[in-house]
């Protein structure tokens, strides 16, 4: 499988975003229309009470050449959660899919903790206006921590296959302080759940479906799945669990695995899918992939350096 | 109206020595009957930390079966460790409810974590004892009952029961955080879930008990007891603000049901209220009803939600 990098296609600093957001366009995810593609992403404002970030959902609409921008959203797509709720301090990412007349939006909600920085859970919000705005089905999540998944359930990606909702998501295996003066770091792995209605889910609890390449301290995030000629391909990003922000060679890169039965996945990302050349926007890091099909072509949206502070780019699959 | 005869305070945590994790509080009493003692599980606290914040541990006291005012033994150490870094029960295991399961004893407990915008969040965990309820091992590092669309936070106060081979978990779920004088105060309601095995739960997703004193009434300690063909629930309730004193503090309410799903609230039947003076003159809360040698007792908390211990009342007449 070979990919042709098409470069960065969206830079948030070149647009006026809502809620005082000026940087970050993270975890781009596509909803394809007849004559344009809407790409949702998470951008950030600064919480005036403490200077910390709040992630908000916005979108950009592009021509199907995925180069020309039609418009950027200037309204609230989905508000943040209420006081004390799982998604009070951010929604990142939002995964969208059409279901009947509705668009289902699976949110990863963030809420801040005291001993560790954050916890997350997965919520469901439904759009009845073709994805312009979303309304939660409730204040709480549809997928959260459980007996053997103690923290950080997030990054849901949902696909309906033969009438069954499948969700690939991540679950935390725990927090660890790697140095005496360091803030705790987390490790998470990719799991799988199924559902008849998209609301009530049955987890294959604590079952890591993608083997580690970097050992037990590999963190895996943002699963995204596509079927190509009868074979399922799962893309994700992975990194070391500590010193991953600036440590050379320790940051996110794109992983890949395939399956013919949705149960057993074969990891296949050596050599790496995407290489960043020095000086490029994605030279040090490639993360938060989203794979989708548009007019017979398979594309990969992803973020580059600094977790998408300066936007997202695109790659095209060679067939 | 039921007639409860107050017997006085049965356990005072301040009288226990040699346990640095037990300085004050004996909250949410829950009983397990042994041959010659009644083991009463409770939750307690060491002194607050430098920031004035508490952790909660759960432990037990064995009361003499022939004289419940005679303390025979106090647990040497907490029955559960606090959770690890970032886990749901890192800062507290409170309250706890126990039930026999064959030769094991199972404990359902609420685990506490600390949050930034609100003071805490709570979810329900499970642990098992193979030594008659002295020590417990957690079934996992995460909760068995957690947040869902209609129950977004603060799942606490578990009470575990088993009727006709089906497991019932009565608990509370947070409805909203209400800002009162700059503090976030939780409003919670009584809920129920059922299970075939006590591990995989189906939530009923329904408030069992209608709110009475105000819409934001907070309800806790849903303690269900079967007697004379009916299910009896004693619980406690309070106002949503300024509830740390006599005026708006906890009182004990009552409801009954024939099917465990539909409950009729009638607090006028509860038959127990704050005293004119003494250790339970400001509030009474966290009722737990149990039967012992032909008599029915209620364990409950007094002022400051059990800071100074729990007391007992004896039912005169029948629960019907």
């Amino acid at each position: 499988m070979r990919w042709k990098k098409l470069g960065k296609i969206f830079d948030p600093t070149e647009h006026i975003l809502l809620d005082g957001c000026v940087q970050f366009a993270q975890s781009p995810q596509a909803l394809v229309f007849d004559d344009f593609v809407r790409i949702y992403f998470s951008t950030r404002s600064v919480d005036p009470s403490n200077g910390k970030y709040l992630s908000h959902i916005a979108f950009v609409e592009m021509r199907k050449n995925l180069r020309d921008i039609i418009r950027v959203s200037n309204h609230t797509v989905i508000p943040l959660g209420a006081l004390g709720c799982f998604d009070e301090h951010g929604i990142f990412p939002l995964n969208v899919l059409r279901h009947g007349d509705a668009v289902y939006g699976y949110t990863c909600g963030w809420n801040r903790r005291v001993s560790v920085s954050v916890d997350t859970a997965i919520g469901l919000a439904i759009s009845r206006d073709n994805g312009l705005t979303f309304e939660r089905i409730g204040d709480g999540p549809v997928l959260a921590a459980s007996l053997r998944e103690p923290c950080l359930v997030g990054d849901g990606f949902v696909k309906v296959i033969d009438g069954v909702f499948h969700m690939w998501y991540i679950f935390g295996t725990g927090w660890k302080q790697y140095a005496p003066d360091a803030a705790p770091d987390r490790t998470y792995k990719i799991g799988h759940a199924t559902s008849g209605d998209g609301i009530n889910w049955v987890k294959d609890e604590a079952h890591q479906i993608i083997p580690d390449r970097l050992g037990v301290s590999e963190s895996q995030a943002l699963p995204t799945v596509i079927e190509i000629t009868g074979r399922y391909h799962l893309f994700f990003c992975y990194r070391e669990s500590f010193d991953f922000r600036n440590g050379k060679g320790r940051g996110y890169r794109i992983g890949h695995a395939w399956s013919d039965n949705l149960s057993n996945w074969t990891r296949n990302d050596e050599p790496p899918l995407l290489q960043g050349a020095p000086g490029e926007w994605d030279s040090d890091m490639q993360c938060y992939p989203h794979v989708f099909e548009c007019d017979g072509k398979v594309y990969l949206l992803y973020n580059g350096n600094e977790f998408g502070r300066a936007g997202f780019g695109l790659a095209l699959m060679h067939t | 109206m039921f007639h409860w005869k107050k017997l006085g305070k049965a356990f005072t945590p301040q009288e226990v020595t040699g346990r640095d994790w037990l300085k004050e509080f004996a909250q949410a009493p829950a009983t397990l009957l042994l041959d010659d003692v009644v083991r009463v599980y409770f939750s307690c606290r060491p002194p607050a930390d430098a920031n004035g914040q508490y952790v909660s541990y759960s432990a037990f006291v064995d009361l003499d079966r022939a004289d419940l005012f005679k303390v025979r033994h106090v647990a040497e150490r907490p029955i559960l460790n606090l959770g690890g870094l970032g886990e749901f029960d890192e800062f507290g295991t409170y309250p706890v409810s126990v039930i026999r399961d064959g030769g094991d004893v199972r404990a359902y407990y609420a685990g506490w974590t600390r949050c930034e915008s609100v003071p805490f969040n709570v979810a329900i965990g499970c642990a098992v004892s193979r030594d008659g309820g002295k020590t417990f091992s957690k079934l996992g590092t995460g909760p068995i009952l957690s947040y869902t669309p209609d129950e977004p936070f603060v799942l606490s106060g578990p009470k575990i029961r088993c009727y006709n081979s089906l497991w019932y978990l009565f608990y509370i779920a947070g409805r909203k955080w209400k800002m009162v004088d700059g503090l976030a105060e939780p409003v919670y309601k009584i809920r129920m879930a059922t299970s075939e095995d006590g591990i995989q739960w189906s939530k009923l997703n329904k408030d069992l008990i209608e709110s009475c004193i105000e819409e934001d009434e907070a309800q806790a300690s849903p303690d269900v007891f079967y007697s004379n063909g009916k299910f009896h629930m004693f619980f406690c309730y309070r106002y949503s603000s300024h509830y740390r004193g006599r005026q708006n503090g906890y009182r004990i309410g009552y409801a009954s049901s024939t099917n465990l799903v539909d409950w009729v609230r009638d607090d006028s039947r509860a038959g127990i209220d704050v005293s004119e003076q003494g250790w339970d003159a400001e509030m009474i809360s966290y009722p737990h009803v149990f039967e012992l040698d032909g008599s029915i007792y209620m364990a409950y908390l007094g002022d400051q939600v059990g800071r100074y211990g729990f007391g007992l009342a004896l039912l005169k007449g029948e629960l019907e």
Side-chain angles (χ1 to χ4, degrees), chain A residues 286-309:
Chain A
Q286 299 105 30
C287 58
Y288 309 141
H290 177 76
V291 65
F292 70 103
E293 195 172 339
C294 178
D295 292 346
K297 294 174 182 160
V298 176
Y299 292 98
L300 188 75
L301 288 161
Y302 68 103
N303 286 114
N305 297 347
E306 290 190 86
F307 308 92
R309 181 188 289 270

Side-chain angles (χ1 to χ4, degrees), chain B residues 26-316:
Chain B
Q27 300 184 287
T31 53
L32 183 73
L33 301 192
L34 303 181
D35 286 345
D36 54 351
V37 296
V38 177
R39 179 159 291 169
V40 186
Y41 294 87
F42 63 88
S43 299
C44 61
R45 306 180 192 180
D49 68 15
N51 298 320
Q53 294 202 289
Y54 287 105
V55 296
S56 277
Y57 291 101
S58 286
F60 61 81
V61 54
D62 288 339
L63 304 179
D64 193 304
R65 193 161 174 156
D67 177 1
L68 293 175
F69 287 79
K70 186 186 283 182
V71 171
R72 292 270 295 269
H73 177 68
V74 179
E76 302 290 342
R77 55 190 65 84
I79 58 166
L80 290 167
N81 295 323
L82 296 182
L85 183 65
E87 291 170 5
F88 77 106
D89 53 355
E90 184 179 357
F91 294 104
T93 53
Y94 153 66
V96 63
S97 174
V98 295
I99 192 168
R100 287 189 190 280
D101 177 34
D104 296 343
V105 179
R106 281 215 210 160
Y108 292 76
Y109 68 98
W112 292 60
T113 186
R114 292 181 187 159
C115 303
E116 191 179 280
S117 61
V118 293
F120 55 80
N121 205 352
V122 194
I124 295 171
C126 185
V128 65
S129 171
R130 308 206 189 278
D131 60 5
K134 275 201 200 91
T135 60
F136 288 81
S137 312
K138 295 177 188 178
L139 295 192
T141 52
I144 53 142
L145 204 72
S146 191
Y147 320 119
T148 47
D150 291 340
E151 298 180 353
F153 42 70
V154 187
L155 301 197
S156 187
K159 300 267 189 177
I160 184 70
R161 301 289 185 268
C162 202
Y163 298 114
N164 296 323
S165 304
L166 193 61
W167 298 72
Y168 291 82
L169 192 66
F170 301 88
Y171 60 97
I172 60 173
R175 177 63 40 83
K176 68 163 89 161
W177 284 94
K178 190 168 174 168
M179 291 306 295
V180 180
D181 301 337
L183 283 178
E185 302 279 15
V187 172
Y188 30 74
K189 305 293 183 185
I190 289 170
R191 314 279 281 190
M192 186 179 86
T194 56
S195 172
E196 303 278 337
D197 60 5
I199 309 290
Q200 302 286 336
W201 291 93
S202 299
K203 291 180 174 178
L204 184 63
N205 286 319
K206 173 182 179 237
D207 288 349
L208 292 192
I209 304 297
E210 65 174 325
S211 295
C212 174
I213 50 174
E214 60 174 12
E215 186 192 344
D216 288 342
E217 167 188 283
Q219 308 166 340
S221 193
D223 195 82
V224 175
F225 188 87
Y226 180 78
S227 176
N228 290 311
K230 260 200 314 199
F231 297 97
H232 307 266
M233 183 196 291
F234 291 86
F235 57 95
C236 57
Y237 62 96
R238 60 162 172 78
Y239 286 87
S240 57
S241 56
H242 308 109
Y243 56 83
R244 292 180 178 83
R246 181 176 176 123
Q247 188 70 33
N248 285 357
Y250 274 119
R251 297 292 185 275
I252 289 175
Y254 171 79
S256 61
S257 172
T258 54
N259 61 8
L260 292 160
V261 171
D262 304 299
W263 292 84
V264 177
R265 179 172 180 171
D266 185 359
D267 294 349
S268 70
R269 295 195 68 199
I272 188 165
D273 204 343
V274 291
S275 299
E276 285 300 313
Q277 55 186 16
W279 71 284
D280 60 350
E282 277 191 350
M283 64 181 77
I284 50 171
S285 63
Y286 287 85
H288 169 64
V289 174
F290 62 100
E291 186 168 7
L292 177 69
D293 302 329
S295 296
I296 292 175
Y297 295 88
M298 179 192 291
Y300 67 100
L301 304 182
D303 296 351
Q304 296 190 47
V305 206
R307 178 184 288 259
Y308 305 105
F310 62 82
L312 293 170
L314 172 67
L315 183 73
K316 297 291 190 184

